[in-house]
Amino acid sequence: MSLLADEVEVLRRTPLFQGIELSRLKLVAFTSQVMRFSDGDALFHQGDTGDSAYLILAGEAMVVADSPIGEIELARLGPHEVVGEIGILCDIPRTATVRAVGDLATLRMGKECLSDMLDAFPSMARVMLREMAMRLNRTSAELVSARAAAALPT
């Protein structure tokens, strides 16, 4: 099986791309770039311009954000998960830094291609928004817990 066929198969099994016709998946795979990272390498940094999203093919990535008390780990992501999609939907700087945890292989998908896919397939946009809403819900719950713990008398 060719590398392109492998990438199409990974896209097909990724929840974000389920239900997308094969010809469109081939286009995404063809216009995307496989990128490999070593432990600690950054895919992108907080504050960077959001020009692409990354589909994790193999390995794990850690999402961290700068704070007044130092760097805070927000999440860990693994195969078939997408990171950097906020930069595709909004023209805002990256909200976090993403680093490889061990060896990491990703498929870097450009903003233009993904924007076209979202326009053509509203179901894809709904899946992306649902995932972002779930992440926001988790982050909100963690914030409530952290603030409650900080408010407890010592």
Side-chain angles (χ1 to χ4, degrees):
M1 184 158 40
S2 74
L3 187 58
L4 184 63
D6 291 343
E7 293 167 10
V8 169
E9 182 58 25
V10 169
L11 288 167
R12 190 182 65 73
R13 290 182 304 190
T14 299
L16 180 61
F17 296 99
Q18 289 182 355
I20 307 299
E21 60 193 53
L22 186 61
S23 63
R24 295 286 183 135
L25 293 179
K26 287 180 181 178
L27 177 64
V28 171
F30 183 74
T31 60
S32 298
Q33 177 184 11
V34 173
M35 302 198 60
R36 299 188 186 287
F37 300 89
S38 297
D39 188 43
D41 288 349
L43 284 68
F44 53 83
H45 294 94
Q46 186 173 345
D48 288 353
T49 300
D51 62 349
S52 57
Y54 295 80
L55 170 63
I56 298 175
L57 301 172
E60 186 177 39
M62 176 175 45
V63 181
V64 297
D66 293 330
S67 81
I69 62 167
E71 195 172 83
I72 298 172
E73 182 176 330
L74 302 175
R76 292 214 178 202
L77 304 172
H80 303 284
E81 292 188 276
V82 177
V83 65
E85 71 280 4
I86 292 173
I88 302 300
L89 296 173
C90 307
D91 287 325
I92 60 171
R94 300 284 192 186
T95 59
T97 296
V98 177
R99 285 196 200 95
V101 177
D103 292 333
L104 177 69
T106 67
L107 188 62
R108 182 181 178 274
M109 301 169 288
K111 183 175 186 172
E112 296 78 25
C113 181
L114 281 179
S115 291
D116 291 346
M117 292 287 290
L118 291 169
D119 289 342
F121 296 96
S123 61
M124 187 176 162
R126 281 191 300 275
V127 170
M128 188 178 286
L129 289 172
R130 187 177 310 119
E131 177 60 28
M132 290 172 57
M134 293 300 290
R135 289 181 190 173
L136 178 59
N137 185 49
R138 283 192 301 270
T139 301
S140 296
E142 290 171 6
L143 177 60
V144 167
S145 293
R147 287 198 174 167
L152 290 176
T154 53

